[in-house]
Amino acid sequence: LNQKDSKNFKLRVFYGGSRSGDIGGPLVKVQKLRLEFPEYRNNFNLIYLLSNNSYLSKRSFKLLKKRNIPIILNQNGVYYKSWFKGDYFSRNQSMAYGYHLADYVIWQSNFCKKASDKFLGRRTGKGEILYNSVDTNLFVPEFKNKKLFTFLISGNINKENNYRIISVIKAFKELNNFYKKINLIIAGNIDDKDFLEHKTYEMKLQDKIKFIGKFNQFEAPKIYSLADAYITLTYQDNCPTAVLEAMSCGLPVLYSDSGGIPELVDNKSGVSLEVNSNWDTIETPRTKDIVEGMIKIMNNNKSMSEAARTRASEKFDIKNWLERHKVIFNLMLNSKR
């Protein structure tokens, strides 16, 4: 690569082997970037990596540094005991190599940077906080004139994360004792779907709780349009794009007051549920607090819906996200000339 040749000095990004697609956060992120910054598998002059979807070896890193090719790392999260049951120490050691070698790191939230400092070691190189984004022209509110108030949970939820659903079902049952005109939709790839559906039958909620299978990015706006509010009790999530998509669709968010979500949602656009900070075990909100949060959102839905949409449009629109990437890319390219 002859980066000093001005006529060839054009941005040519390689995404380090990361795949793109319309299901799953990392794949969708690469897809968004590729539309604005096409991928070059040969003759590239900049590397963009996702920490949770990186395929470069140590040898590749060394070769890139030798060739003076800037490496930008989008740091999503780290491994720790409360959510990763394997050897999280070794995983973090492997991740830390690229983290400290990168020329520029994009942390998806302040929480993400805090976790990285703790488990990967404090970084001395350049970087910034840049939250994930949403296409506010695609994810738009739809007028609702329904007799039932519908809550939505979504995501790829494995058995270890059943708490995200079970804790809501318990609260929903209590709420249903005195609010009859409510529904709950659970959408996405749910590993333990049969077990969870059985729980709804045990609680006699099968007519109130509906499971929808996995969906892609293009189908997502239709899923959000079915609901009036969004619930995510994921513990210490870094920067979930689904929250931004829900807000952009005008859905207030009921969430675990942990991780990076409190940086995305304010008290006008959602309701936080108190939990302790813990790296070793998962903390879930009290059932009583979940019920009260659901009621608060129901009673203030119009104003919260408008606030959620406004916040998503003003702070997390994809146009700003892509523009910031362009600035960072050019900054890094110029620094290597």
Side-chain angles (χ1 to χ4, degrees):
L1 296 176
N2 184 5
Q3 295 190 52
K4 293 184 179 180
D5 186 346
S6 60
K7 69 179 180 180
N8 291 327
F9 199 71
K10 172 188 174 184
L11 176 61
R12 299 186 297 275
V13 183
F14 175 52
Y15 294 100
S18 295
R19 294 173 296 136
S20 68
D22 52 21
I23 297 178
L27 273 66
V28 170
K29 190 174 286 120
V30 173
Q31 183 184 71
K32 290 177 179 178
L33 286 165
R34 275 183 173 174
L35 290 174
E36 185 74 12
F37 311 105
E39 182 167 35
Y40 291 77
R41 292 184 174 271
N42 298 299
N43 294 322
F44 51 83
N45 57 9
L46 185 142
I47 295 283
Y48 189 93
L49 302 175
L50 276 66
S51 64
N52 56 355
N53 201 24
S54 178
Y55 300 99
L56 292 190
S57 64
K58 287 186 177 180
R59 183 175 178 274
S60 297
F61 273 111
K62 290 177 181 178
L63 186 59
L64 291 168
K65 297 299 283 188
K66 184 178 179 180
R67 292 185 175 182
N68 208 30
I69 297 174
I71 302 170
I72 298 172
L73 175 68
N74 189 303
Q75 181 64 30
N76 179 28
V78 295
Y79 295 89
Y80 49 91
K81 187 176 179 181
S82 68
W83 74 271
F84 185 73
K85 304 307 176 186
D87 186 355
Y88 64 89
F89 180 78
S90 294
R91 290 291 187 105
N92 284 331
Q93 277 191 317
S94 177
M95 183 182 285
Y97 185 82
Y99 177 74
H100 291 288
L101 206 64
D103 295 283
Y104 204 91
V105 168
I106 294 171
W107 294 280
Q108 295 184 11
S109 62
N110 286 291
F111 170 80
C112 178
K113 186 177 187 304
K114 173 185 173 183
S116 300
D117 285 346
K118 179 176 178 63
F119 291 97
L120 305 181
R122 189 174 295 276
R123 180 182 151 82
T124 58
K126 296 177 180 179
E128 68 178 75
I129 308 297
L130 182 62
Y131 299 107
N132 288 331
S133 67
V134 59
D135 185 343
T136 58
N137 290 322
L138 177 63
F139 291 87
V140 296
E142 289 195 12
F143 175 74
K144 300 179 178 71
N145 187 19
K146 299 182 297 183
K147 296 180 180 179
L148 295 173
F149 192 97
T150 301
F151 292 95
L152 170 67
I153 302 172
S154 71
N156 298 316
I157 303 175
N158 57 34
K159 291 183 179 181
E160 288 73 24
N161 289 326
N162 275 353
Y163 74 92
R164 293 172 55 183
I165 296 175
I166 291 175
S167 54
V168 176
I169 291 177
K170 289 179 180 177
F172 184 87
K173 180 174 176 57
E174 287 200 15
L175 183 63
N176 188 60
N177 290 332
F178 47 94
Y179 279 91
K180 296 299 182 183
K181 295 183 178 181
I182 56 172
N183 273 345
L184 174 63
I185 294 174
I186 302 168
N189 187 23
I190 314 300
D191 282 356
D192 225 4
K193 180 172 174 285
D194 292 342
F195 167 75
L196 294 166
E197 281 190 323
H198 180 69
K199 294 291 288 184
T200 66
Y201 275 88
E202 281 185 347
M203 296 182 180
K204 296 181 172 53
L205 295 171
Q206 66 272 18
D207 296 328
K208 295 277 191 172
I209 300 177
K210 181 180 181 181
F211 286 81
I212 298 176
K214 63 182 179 181
F215 56 92
N216 61 37
Q217 186 74 358
F218 303 105
E219 297 166 327
K222 291 285 186 184
I223 301 297
Y224 293 113
S225 72
L226 299 173
D228 300 283
Y230 189 76
I231 302 178
T232 175
L233 300 188
T234 310
Y235 186 58
Q236 296 191 160
D237 209 342
N238 285 282
C239 186
T241 302
V243 167
L244 303 180
E245 293 171 347
M247 291 171 67
S248 186
C249 289
L251 303 188
V253 182
L254 182 67
Y255 63 96
S256 166
D257 191 16
S258 65
I261 300 181
E263 301 173 44
L264 308 180
V265 189
D266 62 9
N267 59 11
K268 294 180 180 179
S269 55
V271 175
S272 64
L273 301 171
E274 183 180 357
V275 290
N276 295 318
S277 178
N278 199 321
W279 298 108
D280 296 326
T281 59
I282 290 172
E283 301 276 346
T284 55
R286 298 181 303 173
T287 300
K288 173 177 175 290
D289 293 342
I290 300 173
V291 172
E292 290 178 356
M294 294 169 86
I295 293 172
K296 184 174 181 179
I297 284 178
M298 291 171 67
N299 290 339
N300 299 278
N301 189 251
K302 187 177 185 301
S303 63
M304 283 190 164
S305 173
E306 292 172 353
R309 171 64 184 180
T310 299
R311 187 168 174 83
S313 299
E314 292 180 351
K315 293 186 175 295
F316 307 111
D317 188 87
I318 190 171
K319 292 178 182 177
N320 301 327
W321 185 76
L322 291 172
E323 184 59 35
R324 188 58 198 162
H325 272 82
K326 185 177 181 180
V327 170
I328 295 169
F329 288 170
N330 286 327
L331 175 69
M332 289 295 98
L333 282 176
N334 289 327
S335 71
K336 295 293 184 177
R337 294 186 75 170

